[in-house]
Each structure stands twice: as C-alpha cells, then as structure tokens.
Amino acid sequence: MQATGNPSQAPLGADDHRLKALGRNHRLDLAFKGTTFFFALLVLGTLFAIMASLLIAGYSTFSDLGLSFFTLNRWSANQAVFGALPAIYGTVVSSAIAILIATPISLGIAIFLTEKCPSRLRQPLATTVELLAGVPSIIYGMWGVQVLAPFLQSHFPQILPAGTGLFTAGLILAIMIVPFITSVTRDVLMTVPTHIRESAYGVGCTTWEVVRYIMLPSVKGGVVGAIILGLGRALGETMAVTFVIGNNLFFAPTLFGQGTSIAALIANQFPEADGAQRSALLALGLVLFIITFAVLAVARVMLSRMDRRNA
C-alpha cells in the first residue's frame, strides 16, 4: 500500500536546497550592504555634525567681526580683540617648514630601506622608524624645549635668539611626521615588481636611475599621498608646537621669529575661555578644520589627475 502524506513535509530536492541557499545569501548580502552604507553615512554625518557645531558656536564671531577676523594682526582676549591672522600664519608656515624638511629625509630613508639597506638590518630599522610614530607628541615638545631650543639658541643666536619660534616648531613637526611619510613611501616602493627593478639593473642602470626613472614614477601617487598625510598631521599638531613655537599673539611675517598656531592658541586659552573668547576660539577651530579639509581635497584632486594621466 502506497503511503500518502502532506506535500509540505516531503523531502526537499537539490533544487529546493539551492533556492533556499540563494535566498539566504541574498538576505545576508542586503544586510551587509545596508550595514556598510550606514557606516559610510555615519562618517559623513559625523563630519558635517562637527562642522555644523563649530559654525554655530563661532557664528557670533563671524557675524560681529566679519572679514576682520581673518585680517586683524593680533589676538588679545583681555581687550576683546580677536584676530586669526597670527595663528593662521603660524600654522601654515610651521607646517610648510616641516614638509620641506621631512619630505627629502623621508624619501631618502624609504629608498635606503628598499634598495641599499643590508637585509639583516632592513626590518629592525623599518620597525624603529615606525615606532617613532608612536611617541606621544608631548614627549617631542618636552625634548624640543629642553634640548633642541637651547641648542639652536647657543649655535644660532642671531637667527634664533630665544631658541623657540616658527622654525623650531617646524623642525619638531618634521621629526614627528618623518615616520609617517617614510612608512607609507616604503610600502608603496615595495609594490614595484622585483623583476622590473632587476631588469633595470641588468641593463646597466645605477641605483639613482632605477629610483628616479623606474620606481618613483610608478608610485608617485602613493608618495604624494604620504606627503599629504604628513602635512595633515603637521597642521593639527597641538602639544609639541605649543612648547616651542613661542606663543606670540602678534602677527610678524617671519620664518624664525616667535609666533603661534591655531591648535596651540586653542590649547592655551580654551580651558578658561567664555563668552566672546570661546566663540572666537571655536571659530578658529572651524578655520583649522576647513584648512585641513581643503588640503586633503586638493591632494585627492592631484592623485585623481595623476591616475588619469597614467591610465
């Protein structure tokens, strides 16, 4: 006698199992897509929330001072004079000095580690360079004010009579960003295929020619990205710069004199600020945010143009 039963309880065939697996995978894919999209929106939302909060908090300063906030040549909270020019100038100049010093040093270290360093020393030296990136910024600042500033004062008294100033801050920033630029540059140089470098050496190229005409052109986008990463680090540095920049709140178009930066000015005055001073400091924070964002945006455009030319 043939047994009969509920069709829904019949054993599933291979096609049914495949359909159920496809449906489950589709739901997981939708969940994964939604989760990653949410994270992307969260980053953008956080970015705009920070910008909006700084804009709202500093709106009274922008409305009261207007463009004079950017052109006044001094900052005096006691007299309710808030000019951002000294801090903006100090931020840009100290960061530019740091990049000019750190870029050739970082490229030299990266090239040495990639091409000329003995194999037994390559990894220890690379690890040492990367460990420098983990040193707290306040340690760099303490070393700068205790060691570097007295050294500069004693050896270059005509240029740096106090030992501190924009140039000293640029030197400290250069030391701080060298590990970042070096590590990224070394990583992108290692992506150049070994057989290409060996072929260049095989036809008689020198190390300089291999680096100049083979390696750097093929990874110039990554090198530019490393430099911009270091610049972004220098623009936002606070404690180390505060120790050695001199904290002069009057504008002076100098490379070696004392000055201030946006981050240093905020760090020095924000804990005790209120009213108009707090609003002005938050407006300064927005200016620093915009400067950093603009630098990263310009770097992204440059990298995109490089990619299009290489395509």
Side-chain angles (χ1 to χ4, degrees):
M1 181 176 180
Q2 186 175 1
T4 59
N6 191 342
S8 62
Q9 298 178 351
L12 295 176
D15 292 339
D16 296 324
H17 283 293
R18 189 177 299 110
L19 289 175
K20 291 189 69 174
L22 289 175
R24 182 174 61 254
N25 291 338
H26 179 66
R27 290 190 295 271
L28 290 174
D29 185 63
L30 290 177
F32 178 76
K33 181 179 179 180
T35 303
T36 54
F37 182 68
F38 170 76
F39 290 154
L41 289 181
L42 183 63
V43 172
L44 292 176
T46 303
L47 180 69
F48 285 110
I50 294 173
M51 182 179 294
S53 62
L54 292 174
L55 180 60
I56 294 171
Y59 178 76
S60 61
T61 298
F62 293 123
S63 61
D64 294 341
L65 299 180
L67 291 178
S68 63
F69 177 70
F70 301 95
T71 58
L72 287 175
N73 61 0
R74 68 190 181 107
W75 182 286
S76 178
N78 295 332
Q79 301 178 9
V81 177
F82 303 108
L85 183 59
I88 294 174
Y89 178 81
T91 300
V92 174
V93 169
S94 59
S95 299
I97 292 173
I99 285 296
L100 291 176
I101 295 174
T103 297
I105 295 175
S106 301
L107 291 178
I109 296 173
I111 292 170
F112 173 76
L113 291 175
T114 305
E115 293 299 306
K116 304 299 291 184
C117 183
S119 58
R120 66 180 180 276
L121 296 178
R122 183 170 298 157
Q123 191 57 45
L125 288 177
T127 302
T128 302
V129 171
E130 292 173 355
L131 287 176
L132 289 175
V135 177
S137 61
I138 194 170
I139 302 300
Y140 284 108
M142 294 170 63
W143 175 82
V145 76
Q146 290 291 329
V147 178
L148 182 60
F151 174 83
L152 295 174
Q153 184 182 22
S154 61
H155 288 77
F156 306 97
Q158 290 80 17
I159 300 176
L160 293 164
T164 57
L166 296 175
F167 185 77
T168 308
L171 282 177
I172 290 292
L173 289 174
I175 296 171
M176 294 180 66
I177 66 177
V178 159
F180 294 93
I181 302 176
T182 300
S183 297
V184 177
T185 303
R186 174 179 175 270
D187 290 340
V188 297
L189 287 176
M190 293 296 292
T191 63
V192 179
T194 303
H195 68 273
I196 294 179
R197 302 203 301 268
E198 292 178 349
S199 298
Y201 285 123
V203 297
C205 292
T206 63
T207 303
W208 162 251
E209 291 172 332
V210 172
V211 172
R212 171 66 179 83
Y213 298 106
I214 304 297
M215 299 181 67
L216 289 180
S218 61
V219 297
K220 57 184 177 181
V223 173
V224 172
I227 296 172
I228 298 301
L229 176 64
L231 178 57
R233 178 75 174 85
L235 286 170
E237 177 51 42
T238 304
M239 294 310 301
V241 173
T242 304
F243 274 88
V244 299
I245 200 169
N247 298 304
N248 177 26
L249 303 183
F250 292 84
F251 172 72
T254 177
L255 296 179
F256 301 99
Q258 295 186 335
T260 189
S261 69
I262 295 176
L265 180 57
I266 294 174
N268 282 328
Q269 297 192 5
F270 193 80
E272 300 177 354
D274 58 2
Q277 183 183 4
R278 178 177 287 264
S279 175
L281 291 173
L282 289 167
L284 264 182
L286 178 62
V287 172
L288 179 59
F289 185 92
I290 293 174
I291 291 175
T292 306
F293 187 82
V295 168
L296 296 178
V298 170
R300 184 60 187 172
V301 171
M302 292 174 57
L303 292 176
S304 298
R305 291 181 177 178
M306 289 181 182
D307 292 338
R308 285 198 297 269
R309 285 198 298 265
N310 294 334

